[in-house]
């Protein structure tokens, strides 16, 4: 696993302490199995707090666009959390 993904799981563990990181790692590996992210552009519609968007960026996507309709009734504050965690990841 690359350095960026190690950092991703470390930051996620700190930001989402109730999340089982082993289960998340398994799910993400299954979800993105065979998906070439390196150097690609990705779109995450319904991105929520950005946990999958940030994974794609750390897995090598050159650009990730995360869309979340926060003003249209989704959970309040998810955009701010995405921004904060994104800054933590650099």
């Amino acid at each position: 696993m690359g350095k960026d993904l190690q950092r991703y799981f470390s930051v996620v563990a700190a930001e989402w302490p109730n999340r089982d990181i082993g289960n998340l790692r398994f799910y993400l590996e299954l979800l993105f199995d065979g998906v070439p992210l390196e150097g690609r552009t990705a779109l995450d519609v319904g991105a929520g707090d950005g946990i999958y968007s940030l994974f794609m960026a750390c897995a090598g996507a050159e650009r990730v666009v995360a869309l979340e309709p926060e003003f249209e009734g989704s959970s309040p504050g998810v955009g701010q959390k995405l921004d904060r965690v994104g800054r933590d990841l650099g």
Side-chain angles (χ1 to χ4, degrees):
M1 180 184 336
K3 183 178 78 170
D4 289 340
L5 286 178
Q6 288 176 351
R7 180 161 170 71
Y8 168 82
F9 286 112
S10 175
V11 169
V12 166
E15 190 66 37
W16 288 273
N18 295 328
R19 225 178 239 247
D20 184 318
I21 296 303
N23 285 346
L24 178 63
R25 184 186 313 261
F26 174 80
Y27 177 74
L28 291 172
E29 287 174 359
L30 182 65
L31 182 64
F32 290 101
D33 184 38
V35 178
L37 292 171
E38 189 71 35
R40 302 287 179 97
T41 298
L43 173 64
D44 186 0
V45 178
D49 54 19
I51 201 163
Y52 304 122
S53 302
L54 295 166
F55 174 82
M56 291 186 282
C58 290
E62 185 174 316
R63 181 173 184 228
V64 179
V65 177
L67 301 177
E68 177 57 38
E70 187 170 357
F71 295 114
E72 297 298 327
S74 72
S75 300
V78 293
Q80 292 171 338
K81 186 166 194 163
L82 171 59
D83 289 341
R84 184 177 65 248
V85 175
R87 282 191 306 274
D88 289 349
L89 287 168

